[in-house]
Amino acid sequence: MKYAEDTIVAISTPYGSGGIGVIRLSGKYAFDIAAKIFQGKKEFSDIKSHTINYGKIVDVFTKEVLDEVLLSKMKAPNTFTRENIVEINTHGSQVVLKNILELTTKLGARVAEPGEFTKRAFLSGRIDLSQAEAVIDVINSKTDRSLKAALNQLEGALSKKLLAIRSELIKLIAHIEVTIDYPEYDIDEVTDGEMEDVLFVSIKGIDDILKTYDRGRILREGISMVIVGKPNVGKSSLLNSLSGKNKAIVTNIPGTTRDVIEEYIDFAGVAVRLVDTAGIRDTMDIVEKIGVEKSKEEAQGADLIVFLVDASRGMDKEDEDILELIKDKNVVVLMNKIDLVSDTSGLKEKIQESANVDVIEVSVLNEVGLSKFESYIRDKFLKIDSSNEVLLTNIRHKNLLEKASESLNNAVNAKKNGMPLDMITIDIRQAANDIGEVTGEEVNELILQEIFSKFCVGK
């Protein structure tokens, strides 16, 4: 372990004033430092592990009381990092937290790097790398369903499947290498059937996990849903209606929305990033022109584009230009303001002739058709069971497992083409290494630094 002799410290609660704040110490000297600054009814050495104790934090240099606190003492190895840990619950003043943090550093602690507590949990073998990465997903969860998916990974559901696959591949490699390197020993050679069984089962296991990525990504990151259309067709009204807030200014003046406005909503347990954009049209207004360009950029990266058309005005060249711009994307058309027209069949046919898109008739003002639109979103994106299924949510994991699957398919093809066993094992070993990068068996310091740099300091 890189920092075996270090004791690290960090403020583990978000910046700002609050009811409480938490300072966490972990490492060889965590207890020694706490014993010097904590004054309670018992001597620190007499406090039982995994108990909470009332007392005061006293500056050993000035003898000043810094705060009344609740202190938790947790003895290794039964802790998150498998090191001695002390957590100090203070009042949530940033001044108090800062003063106690500085006091611990004067006594030998070092301020933790981002994610270093979780990194130590990984390096000590308490959790594997995929579980460590799940910690940040738990912290960043936006809905109950995304939290359940993250907790499932934190508990090791993905790791168990991958470790089982990797174990079989390593056994196969070992069997092949023994028969090649030690022909004088009476060891049965690997049969074609045995090799194919391991390879095909491994490929299927990996590919089954890869198939869950789109659903897992939606749970982890949510859906980006961008509302586009020409000015004054009801985009901002739709945003306000779906979000339940008056976030966007609504007037009958075209071009009111000049910038991208976004709102996150919890939609059937999935976070939806709902984006209202400036009306797309040719304009000489410099500010509005910037907003139009931003609208086009948002549309390019959206999971779903909601194209609003004013049913009372029909389709004109501006609508046709927008539809042409987005026709290759995932698009649903909302024919808005149907309360102002008696027959919408002609307009609906015209839209569907222009592009192969779903069309839903709505009146945002009167909240007509919005339930049908919500059912459409639910059917298209949200049929996800996150309770028991292992879902792949991390793009790093996806890329590595795709490489592993490709290597195993290369091994199958090499076997069919009569390649020697020692050549085939190169691809099998590469697949095992790629899986090991997901779980942490095969990982270097640069990868760890990249992963844990995304964490907050206190975790």
Side-chain angles (χ1 to χ4, degrees), residues 114-379:
E116 191 170 353
F117 291 96
T118 307
K119 183 178 181 181
R120 290 189 174 204
F122 162 66
L123 292 174
S124 68
R126 185 187 176 277
I127 56 177
D128 68 27
L129 193 55
S130 67
Q131 291 174 288
E133 289 173 280
V135 171
I136 197 168
D137 290 345
V138 170
I139 294 170
N140 293 333
S141 295
K142 297 181 178 70
T143 68
D144 287 340
R145 293 176 77 182
S146 62
L147 175 61
K148 286 179 182 177
L151 288 172
N152 198 23
Q153 184 172 321
L154 181 58
E155 290 171 0
L158 176 63
S159 303
K160 290 173 185 175
K161 285 197 170 187
L162 293 179
L163 289 171
I165 294 171
R166 187 171 187 268
S167 175
E168 291 303 310
L169 293 177
I170 290 173
K171 287 178 185 177
L172 178 60
I173 293 169
H175 195 166
I176 292 172
E177 291 186 342
V178 166
T179 58
I180 292 173
D181 296 340
Y182 302 100
E184 67 273 17
Y185 290 98
D186 187 19
I187 298 173
D188 294 334
E189 291 189 6
V190 179
T191 65
D192 290 349
E194 289 172 339
M195 181 179 293
E196 288 176 358
D197 284 347
V198 173
L199 293 178
F200 286 134
V201 168
S202 298
I203 291 169
K204 185 180 185 305
I206 293 171
D207 288 349
D208 284 347
I209 294 172
L210 283 168
K211 288 175 185 175
T212 69
Y213 176 72
D214 287 339
R215 287 172 291 154
R217 182 189 65 82
I218 287 172
L219 279 182
R220 184 178 190 246
E221 301 174 8
I223 301 165
S224 176
M225 191 162 70
V226 176
I227 307 169
V228 302
K230 66 187 182 185
N232 210 30
V233 293
K235 298 186 300 298
S236 297
S237 297
L238 179 63
L239 172 76
N240 289 339
S241 179
L242 294 176
S243 65
K245 301 176 182 178
N246 291 322
K247 181 127 183 180
I249 299 172
V250 178
T251 75
N252 59 2
I253 303 171
T256 300
T257 302
R258 299 296 189 93
D259 202 351
V260 169
I261 299 172
E262 66 178 58
E263 179 72 20
Y264 276 94
I265 60 174
D266 184 340
F267 195 101
V270 173
V272 176
R273 177 177 174 259
L274 196 60
V275 182
D276 177 25
T277 62
I280 298 176
R281 65 172 177 176
D282 291 328
T283 177
M284 299 303 293
D285 186 305
I286 294 175
V287 176
E288 188 179 356
K289 186 177 289 187
I290 293 171
V292 169
E293 289 304 314
K294 283 188 175 182
S295 300
K296 293 178 180 178
E297 289 175 10
E298 286 287 344
Q300 293 305 309
D303 293 306
L304 178 67
I305 298 173
V306 181
F307 176 33
L308 253 68
V309 175
D310 186 341
S312 66
R313 289 190 282 170
M315 285 274 287
D316 59 19
K317 188 177 184 308
E318 285 184 338
D319 292 306
E320 291 170 356
D321 289 343
I322 295 171
L323 194 54
E324 178 66 25
L325 181 70
I326 62 177
K327 67 178 182 180
D328 295 327
K329 303 295 181 182
N330 198 1
V331 179
V332 60
V333 176
L334 297 191
M335 287 171 47
N336 190 25
K337 305 184 184 180
I338 58 170
D339 53 305
L340 301 179
V341 293
S342 57
D343 184 11
T344 59
S345 58
L347 177 57
K348 187 173 183 178
E349 289 177 8
K350 183 177 181 180
I351 293 171
Q352 291 179 324
E353 285 174 3
S354 301
N356 182 24
V357 294
D358 295 307
V359 180
I360 300 173
E361 300 178 24
V362 300
S363 170
V364 176
L365 180 63
N366 297 317
E367 297 188 350
V368 174
L370 292 183
S371 60
K372 187 175 181 180
F373 171 59
E374 290 176 359
S375 296
Y376 171 86
I377 301 299
R378 188 175 289 107
D379 292 341

